[in-house]
Amino acid sequence: AGVLLDDYQYTSNSGVVDVTFGQRVRVADDFADADRAGKVYEFMGTDALGLGRDLAAQDYSDFELWKELTETSLVTESTSYAVLSEIGLALNKDGLVGSASSYYGLVDRNDVRSDVTAWIDDALVTADGSITITALETATINATESSVVQPWEGAGGIIATNMVLSQAQAYATDSTLTSGADLALTARNDSSITATADSVMEAWDNYSFVVAFNSIGWNAQNILFNAVDTLIGDPLISEAFDGENPAGVKAYLLDTEVAAGGDVTLVAESTAGIDATLGNEATAEAALDIVFSAQYAASGVAGGAGLASNKVSSRAEASIDYSDGYTGAKQVTAGGALTLSASDAASVTSTSTIVQTAVTSNTLAGLTDIAQNFLIPGAYDYSTASGTRTVSWGERVRLGADYTGGGDAGAVYEYTGLSDAEYHLGNTNFATGLWHKLTGGADDLDDLYPNLGNLADSDARAVGGLVVMNDVRSAVDAFITDTNVDAGSVAISALESATIRSSAETNVTASGGSAWGSGSVLAVNGQIVTNMVLSSANALIEDSDIATTTGDVTLEAKNDSLLDATLNSALSTGESGFSFALAFNSLGWKPQNVLFNAVDALLGDPLISEAFDGEQPAEATAIIRNSDVDAAGN
């Protein structure tokens, strides 16, 4: 092909010349139209049309006058692979000549531990103004673990562990506090984990996994134990080793007498939360578009799994209390309002996605590419600009883009007459019976080389699996016990809003087979998702005397815990497919392994859970017990 195309008569730098039918022009590499630069074109017009043409100013995209000839169109990548396969030299996974494999691993552990404490202990404190004790905690992890791999074949995975242990406490013990203005104790814990673990792989054969363990308020645990707890959907091992270590926040007075001219305020707030994203996407697009022998046919495998655990344990407490052995007055006096407020908004936002795609094809589509690049426009002998010609059976004519004399503009027509005939090609009706249209027009040869599908066994296997466990535990307590209170008003509130928002999605696709019904195609898709919320809110006055001078006594407990879970599962296969999805969502029930959960679900009755005292209601209680309350208001 190269030798033939090197035989050209002019270049685009040859100036103004008289070009005759069939002569060739090579377009310079620096030609203004980069799409035409370096290519060779054959003139299809009559000798008269070729007179005085400036070759540097031609529109070589006008296929009616200029036919493109390509040097490498017959030797495509697909053709090379097919030929080398036949002589035993092609790259393949059995090791002939070479291969390209990638094996990777990423293990990442992030561990943050922090305690914040502000306190007064065993002291006499007198202030003309306010007394303020504040403890603020913001332990934070922002982690991204990611991999992108594009080998011939490959395997690997990511293991990511992120853990936060934190506490925030503001308190006074065994002390006497006298303030001319306000007394304020504030403890806040805003610990958080934002974590992304994802893997993307593109290969003919690939196997990958992503494992992510995120926790706030749980002690460290090895990968194996974390994996077992996640797989069974129950932190059984962690609990067996007293692993729960809540992210606590406390604001309290213990054995401390208070006299404040203004307000007395105790606030404990926690917003410990995890925002976790897990992704594993693999594409095995094994495609050969020219295959001579079935033994060299392509096959594709995509296998990917995800394992994710997100656990938050949190506590918030605001309290005033005196121990049994305390012998003082047990007195708290406030000229203004006495307020105890405890709130917890522990949360997990979990997004997990597994996408595994195996698409295998062994076709002759490459012939279309060859024809597209080489035969068109090289698939015709004349154009409608070629004037009067004697046409023989099988010769082809391409109609100009604006041709209106009969036939489809841009299409190629083949002469089917048995004897030679003379035609003025610029004035011929090609829609008659002696002319057969080969293409649909423009540069389209799909009609000439139809898609026959896979001609050899095209094995495709795609397997995707996802296991997710989200666990949120939270308790809020606000109480006054064994205390004498004199204040303008008294307000005690315990507000709970533990939340899980979970989205899990798997999408598995396998496509292959053959036109003859052979070839193995298999898609397998499985999901197990467990979401559990345990929460409580308690506001209490017990064994106390409460008196207000101007306002109300208010006791409030509120539990707005929420579980919002979505599971999507999709499977597409050309032959065999297997899929299952298990989802267990509970609010106010202790954790239970997947097997027991499955049995209870199938029975439609939490029989096993109840047998093990599994019910632990998401409660909110406001109680006054063994106390005298004398409110000036309500």
Side-chain angles (χ1 to χ4, degrees):
V3 170
L4 291 174
L5 293 180
D6 283 342
D7 185 19
Y8 50 85
Q9 288 73 40
Y10 305 105
T11 74
S12 58
N13 292 328
S14 297
V16 178
V17 298
D18 295 336
V19 188
T20 61
F21 177 83
Q23 288 188 321
R24 299 171 180 175
V25 177
R26 187 188 189 280
V27 179
D29 292 337
D30 59 354
F31 191 69
D33 186 347
D35 292 337
R36 312 298 164 189
K39 296 180 179 179
V40 177
Y41 291 85
E42 181 177 339
F43 187 63
M44 301 302 294
T46 63
D47 294 349
L49 289 175
L51 294 176
R53 284 193 171 268
D54 183 358
L55 298 183
Q58 294 300 300
D59 179 8
Y60 292 100
S61 65
D62 182 358
F63 53 78
E64 188 178 24
L65 286 178
W66 298 99
K67 177 172 68 174
E68 179 186 346
L69 305 177
T70 60
E71 184 174 50
T72 59
S73 56
L74 280 181
V75 191
T76 63
E77 182 178 334
S78 301
T79 310
S80 302
Y81 184 90
V83 173
L84 290 173
S85 294
E86 292 301 319
I87 62 177
L89 293 177
L91 295 174
N92 60 63
K93 61 185 179 181
D94 296 324
L96 292 176
V97 172
S99 61
S101 300
S102 174
Y103 303 96
Y104 71 94
L106 172 61
V107 179
D108 185 23
R109 174 175 177 80
N110 302 299
D111 187 325
V112 173
R113 309 185 188 200
S114 174
D115 288 338
V116 177
T117 304
W119 78 96
I120 296 173
D121 179 51
D122 192 20
L124 175 63
V125 179
T126 301
D128 291 338
S130 298
I131 298 175
T132 302
I133 306 172
T134 303
L136 304 178
E137 171 67 272
T138 56
T140 302
I141 292 176
N142 290 313
T144 299
E145 298 91 5
S146 181
S147 68
V148 178
V149 185
Q150 294 176 306
W152 178 288
E153 59 181 3
I158 296 173
I159 301 176
T161 304
N162 300 295
M163 185 193 79
V164 171
L165 290 176
S166 61
Q167 301 279 339
Q169 297 185 81
Y171 62 87
T173 56
D174 298 316
S175 299
T176 299
L177 308 180
T178 302
S179 168
D182 299 335
L183 171 65
L185 284 75
T186 302
R188 182 178 296 116
N189 190 340
D190 295 325
S191 297
S192 66
I193 295 175
T194 302
T196 298
D198 65 81
S199 173
V200 177
M201 181 181 285
E202 296 179 8
W204 279 25
D205 289 353
N206 60 69
Y207 307 89
S208 59
F209 64 88
V210 178
V211 177
F213 305 120
N214 303 299
S215 67
I216 297 176
W218 291 81
N219 292 330
Q221 184 173 257
N222 66 65
I223 290 173
L224 175 61
F225 287 178
N226 274 332
V228 172
D229 281 352
T230 305
L231 287 169
I232 66 175
D234 180 356
L236 191 64
I237 299 177
S238 184
E239 289 182 324
F241 288 96
D242 296 323
E244 189 174 3
N245 185 5
V249 54
K250 289 185 177 182
Y252 65 92
L253 297 171
L254 177 63
D255 296 339
T256 296
E257 296 186 14
V258 174
D263 297 337
V264 174
T265 304
L266 284 76
V267 176
E269 296 180 349
S270 177
T271 61
I274 294 174
D275 188 346
T277 301
L278 177 145
N280 188 347
E281 180 177 354
T283 301
E285 190 169 349
L288 294 177
D289 53 15
I290 298 179
V291 180
F292 297 147
S293 300
Q295 70 183 101
Y296 299 113
S299 63
V301 177
L307 187 67
S309 169
N310 303 295
K311 300 186 297 182
V312 174
S313 178
S314 179
R315 299 287 186 272
E317 177 185 307
S319 64
I320 300 174
D321 189 18
Y322 291 87
S323 58
D324 292 340
Y326 187 79
T327 58
K330 300 182 180 181
Q331 183 69 41
V332 173
T333 302
L338 171 63
T339 303
L340 273 71
S341 173
S343 63
D344 196 320
S347 66
V348 166
T349 301
S350 170
T351 303
S352 305
T353 306
I354 304 293
V355 179
Q356 300 294 310
T357 303
V359 178
T360 305
S361 61
N362 295 280
T363 70
L364 291 179
L367 295 179
T368 303
D369 294 335
I370 293 174
Q372 192 78 28
N373 293 328
F374 185 79
L375 298 178
I376 288 292
Y380 56 95
D381 304 287
Y382 309 105
S383 76
T384 47
S386 299
T388 301
R389 299 289 171 179
T390 299
V391 185
S392 301
W393 181 89
E395 289 189 317
R396 300 172 179 179
V397 179
R398 188 170 193 188
L399 279 58
D402 299 322
Y403 189 74
T404 58
D408 294 338
V412 174
Y413 286 82
E414 184 177 66
Y415 182 62
T416 61
L418 297 179
S419 58
D420 297 350
E422 187 176 273
Y423 285 90
H424 186 288
L425 299 178
N427 190 24
T428 299
N429 183 1
F430 292 93
T432 64
L434 292 177
W435 296 93
H436 173 62
K437 186 175 74 171
L438 297 179
T439 71
D443 291 328
D444 183 12
L445 263 189
D446 289 342
D447 294 342
L448 190 58
Y449 296 95
N451 182 10
L452 299 178
N454 291 328
L455 300 181
D457 290 358
S458 301
D459 296 338
R461 296 189 302 278
V463 179
L466 175 63
V467 178
V468 179
M469 180 183 72
N470 299 309
D471 186 319
V472 172
R473 307 181 184 198
S474 174
V476 179
D477 294 294
F479 59 87
I480 296 175
T481 59
D482 200 22
T483 303
N484 301 314
V485 175
D486 290 309
S489 62
V490 175
I492 302 174
S493 62
L495 307 178
E496 173 67 271
S497 56
T499 301
I500 289 179
R501 298 184 186 276
S502 171
S503 173
E505 179 175 342
T506 58
N507 193 328
V508 177
T509 301
S511 175
S514 75
W516 329 115
S518 57
S520 175
V521 180
L522 174 65
V524 179
N525 184 7
Q527 283 192 72
I528 303 175
V529 180
T530 304
N531 298 300
M532 186 199 73
V533 175
L534 291 176
S535 63
S536 63
N538 299 290
L540 173 68
I541 296 174
E542 185 173 31
D543 297 328
S544 299
D545 291 331
I546 308 295
T548 63
T549 57
T550 58
D552 302 335
V553 174
T554 304
L555 203 62
E556 178 186 17
K558 189 175 183 181
N559 192 335
D560 288 330
S561 295
L562 170 70
L563 198 162
D564 182 354
T566 301
L567 183 151
N568 291 316
S569 177
L571 181 141
S572 175
T573 176
E575 185 183 6
S576 299
F578 305 92
S579 178
F580 69 88
L582 304 178
F584 306 112
N585 302 300
S586 66
L587 200 160
W589 291 82
K590 294 178 182 177
Q592 185 173 255
N593 66 67
V594 170
L595 176 61
F596 287 177
N597 275 332
V599 172
D600 281 352
L602 289 170
L603 292 175
D605 182 351
L607 193 63
I608 299 178
S609 184
E610 288 180 330
F612 288 95
D613 296 322
E615 188 176 5
Q616 185 174 320
E619 63 182 8
T621 63
I623 298 173
I624 297 176
R625 179 187 298 123
N626 299 331
S627 298
D628 291 331
V629 177
D630 183 6
N634 295 313

